[in-house]
Amino acid sequence: MTTTLRSRAASKTGVDWFLTFLRVALSTLVIVGLAAFIGQQIDPDNFFARTVNEDATRLSWEALKDLVISGLSQGSMYGLIALGYSMVYGVLGFINFAHGEVFMVGAMTGMITSTKLAEGGLWESNFILAILIAVVVSVLCSTATAVIMERIAYRPLRGAPRLIPLITSIGVSFFIQNTSAVLLGPGAKNYPRLPDWLRDDVPVLGIEGKKVVVLVVAAISMGALWYLVERTKTGKAMRAVAEDKEIASLMGIDVDRTIVTTFAVGGAMAGVAGILWGILFGSVTEFTGFLPGIKAFSAAVVGGIGNLGGAMAGGLTLGSSESLAPQLVLEPLGVTGHTQLKDAVAFLVLIFVLLVKPTGLFGERLSSEDRA
Amino acid sequence: MSESLVSPPRSAFDQDWRKVVRFGLILAAALLFVSLTDMPDKLDRKIVIEQYLSMGYLVLLWLPLALGGLVTREVVLEGMASHAKGAREVVAGAAVGLIGGLGLSGLIWLLDTRDLSDPLVNWNDDLLEILTFGQSVGTGALYWVLISVSLGAMGGLAQVVPAAVRRSVMASIVAVILVAALEAALDDISEGFRLEWLFDLMFAKRGGLTVAGVVIVIVVAVGYSLIGRIKTAEVKERYDALKGAERQKANTGLLLLTAAAVVILPMFLGKLTNELLANVGLFLLLALGLNIVVGLAGILDLGYVAFFAVGGYTTAILTSPSSPAFSPELPWIVAVIIVVFMACIAGLFIGAPVIRMRGDYLAIVTLGFGEIIRLTVRSDWASGLTGGAQGITSIPGAQIFGLTEVRGINPQAVFYLVAFFCAIAIYMSWRLERSRLGRAWMAVREDESVAEAMGVNTVNVKLMAFVVGAILAAFSGAIFAAKVGSVFETSFKVLVSIVILVVVIVGGMGRIAGVIAGAVVLIGVLGGPNQPGLLAEFSEFKLLIYGALLVWMMLKRPEGLVPNARRSRELHQDEFLQDAWLKGEIDDDDGSTVEGEVAPA
């Protein structure tokens, strides 16, 4: 509301000019970088590419494909986590900072279960059954974490000023992280070795098997969630509560229960993402949840918060841009050590989207009171 | 509360069983959690009372006492009847203790029979031995049930006994724990004041209070709670009654007294305590800055450490002879002037893009900015300027007008320098709070749209908050660089921002005294993100405690330990209105005329 008032105001302040400058500068950088990339792909010795970066080299198409695939598989994980942020933001209007830790709990319990199963021999003899058990356990654990978190830390704060639950969730996140470090010991813990068919390339596609699995599982989970939210009574209740809590309760919807369901569903998605993380990277630490969590929130914002399809699309966008941008934009610009800036790129995407289109790429869906 | 509002006591076994069971289960869960974190084993080295009690047991023992008391505590609403206390409270406390004790016994049994050490790293015989007091499993379990039941009953009993007794006992317990916890600092202080004889009397050679020490502490604590409290209250009343010039005179006196204490005290303290004070000062400076941003203007900046980094790195580049890109080797004082300039630019640069965002988006984006700065500083791309992961080393100390050189080996000088900047920061915060700008900040905090409608230029005002906060953080960074002598990106992680936020929130957002209290208690006792505190034994658990503390404060006391009156009224508006309504200060339920809200002039 305030933004429309402001855009009608005639005079631009210094801040507005600065923002315009930032938008233009960032866009120019991206465009020049991309142009230089295209230039160096056509001919590394062409004048333009050389001017921008003296050491311009051509990137093989094989390497580019790998980047795209790892970006998408990583992005689909962000998307799954982002669903939890998006749903909770839609229903309660606050950022559940600790949602990244729910994902970490999923990855951690997945590690514990699969190690135990590997000791018992089931992991080698019947991998599919073993991984299914691990998925069930970690989904249960992360769902429980999300539900307990809601009950203890967030329910008493219903109706408090917006920043209060956010600060609480920072505390919860901190607590879970350090609980894991103290109870399970700090440092990286490894998943057991995956069977060969997951480590090798899939024949026709030429993509690593585990990345295919990640993409397929993410797509299936997303489909299931879409069915739950759009086609079932529970989903209808969730949408109603997101729209207006008071009226929903007048219509006979148990608001508290619906909120718990929302947390549980978000937690389950994070649990699935946790197992996928384990399959993809093979190890987990107590800090595993932190950066992916923030990036997933960025994905939710990029896709338009409250918008579930948007969250998934935002995840894919963010994942592929953080995997591609260092090679496609930074490297042609002559930035050395560009892969070290991968995480910084993810945050820059968030800032860029918020500067250019604060409601996200696909539009946000929030209740009237949260649309401040 | 008048006598007529007290209803007669209920029979001892007339309990709200669900609540008792719930609290019992919470107690059991808490006992199991604390045991499995290995706190009892790791903190067993820290002795509280010689031969009798160690910190390791204390972290378990306080739980049944607290929960046994809490289970029967009731919130008495204005105009409602409260129940007369009696045997009921004791029985409830004991029942809670019983469930908790049984839970812990179950753990002891499991520790003895199962081996879960694969995921749970602390599942070992050391823990079992601590938990069973070195006895057999059955005896240990029985002891714990008995201890837990009696402590729970004592907690319940605390609700029943007269207030004076309760206060004395509480004061004694807290004082004994506090004095034992501060042992290292007291050792240091007693040397400075030539009080070694007292220290030797009170503390055993191998650590922990002696029985004589406990007696002394209890006598002092009981004396204070019976007599001193009333005297303090009287003094406070007299102070509150002062008006105009006289009050100002009293204030000046207090201020001079505090200043004198800050100047003179460190001279009597040893290196250890001065080092602690210097760390507290550095974080206090940061917290005072964040207090302006979060406490006054209501902007949740999670990337506050970025400004600390700007201060640290600017100083390092300008003063160190080994800074990679260019090393003008300026004196520290000159560098600080440039630091202020850089902090302004950083504040504007980070502030401007985020200023129009929703509060919660702003929090995440500032966090992102903090990380972007840290990642960039670390990368090879910027290593030409910042040294990358190798950082910048051999930063000289700060020459203060040729008087002294402030650096890490001389913590006392660091403390004086930090205290000087803290004094500036406190004065600035205090003046700003009462200025037009400060009122604009508070207006923005309470309702941005209304503030804008009232003619506050919200964008400029919020940018100002960013800049002022950035300058204070950058000062802290500049001193930090001179103190440590080197800067690495690892000193500027998100963790630091969050620890500062905890300090501000636990202390009391928007209140200077609160922030000081928060910094002293948290950084001084528990320690900063990379700095050890007084309780070095806790360093492994301090982040866990910070997290728990943050959640607990937000749930139970969002206004902090030392609250700001206006801020707490904002947070508890509903309760204020309800109380006022029950007292009959509001005529109709619109809440249109609230006399209680108008502060007497």
Side-chain angles (χ1 to χ4, degrees):
Chain A
M1 188 188 74
T2 40
T3 41
T4 51
L5 279 181
R6 234 182 250 121
S7 57
R8 267 179 229 149
S11 66
K12 277 198 163 186
T13 59
V15 173
D16 289 308
W17 288 117
F18 180 72
L19 288 183
T20 316
F21 165 74
L22 267 186
R23 285 181 199 121
V24 173
L26 275 174
S27 316
T28 318
L29 269 183
V30 172
I31 291 167
V32 171
L34 279 176
F37 174 74
I38 294 168
Q40 76 183 30
Q41 285 306 91
I42 297 168
D43 175 14
D45 279 328
N46 87 30
F47 173 70
F48 177 61
R50 277 276 170 254
T51 330
V52 183
N53 177 13
E54 282 175 27
D55 312 321
T57 47
R58 185 182 285 161
L59 191 69
S60 73
W61 295 111
E62 197 59 29
L64 193 64
K65 191 187 79 183
D66 280 352
L67 283 180
V68 172
I69 296 299
S70 60
L72 286 181
S73 56
Q74 179 125 216
S76 61
M77 230 144 45
Y78 294 155
L80 283 181
I81 311 173
L83 292 169
Y85 280 106
S86 210
M87 284 193 294
V88 168
Y89 202 99
V91 170
L92 287 175
F94 84 96
I95 301 171
N96 179 12
F97 200 84
H99 189 63
E101 305 324 318
V102 176
F103 156 74
M104 185 272 284
V105 167
M108 213 41 122
T109 43
M111 185 275 298
I112 294 171
T113 344
S114 51
T115 320
K116 288 280 168 208
L117 290 174
E119 277 168 22
L122 189 66
W123 186 266
E124 280 81 19
S125 59
N126 190 347
F127 176 73
I128 300 287
L129 180 65
I131 201 78
L132 276 180
I133 295 175
V135 168
V136 169
V137 172
S138 66
V139 164
L140 282 179
C141 284
S142 41
T143 308
T145 312
V147 169
I148 294 171
M149 194 156 82
E150 192 272 339
R151 183 68 196 84
I152 294 178
Y154 304 144
R155 193 177 295 180
L157 292 173
R158 267 319 133 71
R162 193 193 275 270
L163 288 185
I164 302 278
L166 173 59
I167 296 173
T168 314
S169 68
I170 294 172
V172 173
S173 158
F174 224 54
F175 183 76
I176 297 179
Q177 242 177 53
N178 288 292
T179 301
S180 162
V182 171
L183 289 188
L184 306 175
K189 293 168 197 61
N190 294 326
Y191 270 66
R193 200 185 137 91
L194 292 174
D196 288 338
W197 59 271
L198 271 177
R199 303 157 61 85
D200 296 339
D201 286 359
V202 174
V204 190
L205 301 166
I207 305 168
E208 256 185 298
K210 55 185 181 184
K211 288 181 180 156
V212 178
V213 170
V214 168
L215 286 172
V216 169
V217 172
I220 294 173
S221 320
M222 182 63 205
L225 183 73
W226 176 84
Y227 182 81
L228 175 79
V229 173
E230 299 290 333
R231 288 283 181 274
T232 63
K233 219 164 181 178
T234 323
K236 210 174 204 175
M238 281 161 68
R239 280 179 289 144
V241 171
E243 191 60 39
D244 194 316
K245 277 195 267 308
E246 268 179 38
I247 293 181
S249 74
L250 289 177
M251 295 295 147
I253 294 169
D254 186 341
V255 174
D256 271 344
R257 231 177 94 187
T258 312
I259 290 174
V260 171
T261 318
T262 311
F263 270 89
V265 174
M269 290 289 145
V272 174
I275 281 280
L276 293 182
W277 175 279
I279 292 177
L280 201 55
F281 298 106
S283 80
V284 51
T285 78
E286 69 269 26
F287 303 116
T288 295
F290 182 69
L291 267 184
I294 298 174
K295 284 182 192 163
F297 172 73
S298 308
V301 173
V302 168
I305 206 143
N307 181 339
L308 297 188
M312 206 65 208
L316 293 176
T317 314
L318 198 85
S320 30
S321 38
E322 83 165 4
S323 134
L324 287 173
Q327 293 282 351
L328 261 58
V329 180
L330 294 181
E331 210 252 321
L333 283 176
V335 175
T336 49
H338 44 81
T339 40
Q340 293 168 330
L341 294 172
K342 199 178 133 201
D343 294 333
V345 167
F347 293 123
L348 275 175
V349 171
L350 171 70
I351 294 168
F352 188 64
V353 167
L354 282 177
L355 281 180
V356 177
K357 200 164 186 311
T359 51
L361 299 176
F362 302 92
E364 50 185 17
R365 283 189 209 152
L366 293 176
S367 66
S368 45
E369 54 195 301
D370 290 328
R371 243 175 257 134
Chain B
M1 191 189 351
S2 60
E3 273 310 305
S4 62
L5 283 175
V6 178
S7 66
R10 288 188 267 165
S11 109
F13 292 95
D14 170 23
Q15 295 286 350
D16 184 357
W17 287 109
R18 282 183 178 202
K19 194 175 175 189
V20 170
V21 171
R22 198 172 70 226
F23 269 73
L25 291 178
I26 292 175
L27 174 62
L31 287 173
L32 292 192
F33 180 77
V34 170
S35 304
L36 288 178
T37 58
D38 213 21
M39 274 194 215
D41 189 18
K42 294 238 170 67
L43 301 181
D44 199 39
R45 279 168 294 146
K46 174 82 186 169
I47 297 160
V48 176
I49 302 170
E50 187 195 17
Q51 287 182 350
Y52 292 107
L53 186 64
S54 77
M55 202 54 107
Y57 286 113
L58 199 64
V59 291
L60 287 173
L61 292 178
W62 74 278
L63 285 164
L65 193 64
L67 283 167
L70 282 179
V71 66
T72 43
R73 204 184 60 171
E74 50 178 352
V75 181
V76 184
L77 295 172
E78 193 72 42
M80 301 285 167
S82 71
H83 290 288
K85 314 284 188 190
R88 186 176 168 266
E89 272 68 24
V90 183
V91 172
V96 169
L98 180 67
I99 300 175
L102 288 176
L104 197 56
S105 308
L107 177 71
I108 291 173
W109 177 69
L110 279 176
L111 269 169
D112 189 42
T113 52
R114 301 284 155 86
D115 179 23
L116 293 181
S117 62
D118 187 6
L120 299 168
V121 288
N122 304 318
W123 192 279
N124 51 31
D125 289 342
D126 292 345
L127 181 64
L128 182 65
E129 192 180 328
I130 292 281
L131 287 182
T132 52
F133 306 95
Q135 316 265 341
S136 75
V137 173
T139 326
L142 186 67
Y143 275 157
W144 272 113
V145 173
L146 290 178
I147 290 173
S148 184
V149 167
S150 44
L151 281 175
M154 268 163 68
L157 194 66
Q159 303 281 322
V160 183
V161 296
V165 178
R166 186 172 63 224
R167 264 205 298 273
S168 311
V169 174
M170 281 291 284
S172 312
I173 295 175
V174 171
V176 167
I177 296 172
L178 207 65
V179 171
L182 298 181
E183 186 183 339
L186 290 176
D187 188 7
D188 221 35
I189 295 170
S190 66
E191 260 169 53
F193 283 97
R194 307 249 167 279
L195 287 172
E196 285 103 331
W197 59 270
L198 185 62
F199 182 82
D200 289 341
L201 176 69
M202 285 175 64
F203 287 95
K205 284 244 162 24
R206 294 174 54 207
L209 282 163
T210 57
V211 176
V214 174
V215 172
I216 295 175
V217 172
I218 289 180
V219 167
V220 172
V222 170
Y224 172 78
S225 66
L226 290 184
I227 307 157
R229 249 177 63 91
I230 303 162
K231 285 271 189 274
T232 330
E234 269 174 23
V235 171
K236 181 150 185 345
E237 217 164 84
R238 265 212 313 242
Y239 171 78
D240 284 342
L242 291 178
K243 290 259 157 58
E246 274 188 48
R247 176 139 189 181
Q248 211 142 40
K249 221 188 272 173
N251 278 339
T252 323
L254 272 176
L255 201 68
L256 284 176
L257 223 67
T258 323
V262 169
V263 172
I264 295 167
L265 217 56
M267 295 179 188
F268 291 96
L269 302 177
K271 208 158 188 169
L272 173 89
T273 327
N274 268 314
E275 171 76 28
L276 274 177
L277 282 176
N279 282 338
V280 169
L282 279 174
F283 276 87
L284 174 59
L285 197 50
L286 284 168
L288 284 167
L290 190 65
N291 179 46
I292 289 179
V293 184
V294 179
L296 292 187
I299 306 169
L300 186 58
D301 181 357
L302 294 182
Y304 192 64
V305 70
F307 304 127
F308 185 53
V310 166
Y313 268 96
T314 310
T315 314
I317 291 170
L318 292 177
T319 60
S320 167
S322 65
S323 87
F326 71 116
S327 48
E329 295 188 46
L330 295 175
W332 189 82
I333 300 261
V334 182
V336 162
I337 296 168
I338 303 173
V339 162
V340 173
F341 182 69
M342 290 300 291
C344 285
I345 294 180
L348 288 175
F349 193 83
I350 295 182
V354 302
I355 220 78
R356 295 238 168 105
M357 290 173 189
R358 286 201 278 258
D360 39 10
Y361 279 21
L362 187 148
I364 303 290
V365 172
T366 46
L367 190 148
F369 263 121
E371 279 292 275
I372 289 176
I373 289 188
R374 188 177 69 83
L375 291 166
T376 314
V377 160
R378 191 179 65 181
S379 70
D380 290 345
W381 181 51
S383 65
L385 186 66
T386 60
Q390 275 76 48
I392 300 176
T393 51
S394 61
I395 302 167
Q399 299 282 351
I400 307 297
F401 304 118
L403 284 175
T404 173
E405 193 190 14
V406 176
R407 55 185 312 158
I409 49 166
N410 185 1
Q412 194 174 332
V414 177
F415 173 71
Y416 281 131
L417 186 63
V418 166
F420 174 70
F421 276 101
C422 282
I424 295 179
I426 290 170
Y427 181 72
M428 237 170 72
S429 311
W430 181 67
R431 293 294 299 172
L432 276 173
E433 203 182 324
R434 282 153 189 80
S435 70
R436 191 186 167 88
L437 184 58
R439 285 195 300 274
W441 280 335
M442 283 181 263
V444 169
R445 176 184 76 197
E446 281 169 48
D447 194 321
E448 202 172 331
S449 307
V450 173
E452 195 165 18
M454 289 292 148
V456 174
N457 184 339
T458 52
V459 170
N460 286 4
V461 161
K462 282 162 88 175
L463 266 183
M464 275 306 288
F466 257 97
V467 170
V468 174
I471 293 174
L472 292 183
F475 278 146
S476 185
I479 301 172
F480 175 80
K483 172 177 180 276
V484 180
S486 56
V487 285
F488 301 101
E489 46 91 26
T490 45
S491 311
F492 305 105
K493 287 188 172 171
V494 184
L495 176 66
V496 181
S497 299
I498 294 181
V499 168
I500 306 166
L501 182 70
V502 179
V503 167
V504 172
I505 283 172
V506 170
M509 261 194 277
R511 175 102 191 246
I512 298 165
V515 175
I516 297 174
V520 171
V521 171
L522 292 182
I523 306 297
V525 177
L526 280 175
N530 299 315
Q531 294 79 8
L534 258 182
L535 289 176
E537 291 86 358
F538 271 96
S539 60
E540 202 175 321
F541 308 107
K542 71 186 166 201
L543 296 178
L544 186 71
I545 298 173
Y546 277 152
L549 207 56
L550 191 56
V551 177
W552 190 76
M553 286 306 281
M554 282 337 276
L555 290 177
K556 297 294 176 202
R557 217 180 143 87
E559 65 273 28
L561 291 176
V562 187
N564 173 321
R566 187 184 311 210
R567 174 96 198 156
S568 64
R569 207 177 304 153
E570 278 167 39
L571 288 167
H572 296 287
Q573 200 168 24
D574 291 350
E575 291 153 48
F576 273 101
L577 284 175
Q578 185 147 8
D579 280 0
W581 177 73
L582 284 162
K583 283 184 206 153
E585 284 166 1
I586 308 178
D587 299 331
D588 51 315
D589 45 10
D590 288 350
S592 48
T593 50
V594 188
E595 288 155 38
E597 289 270 297
V598 183

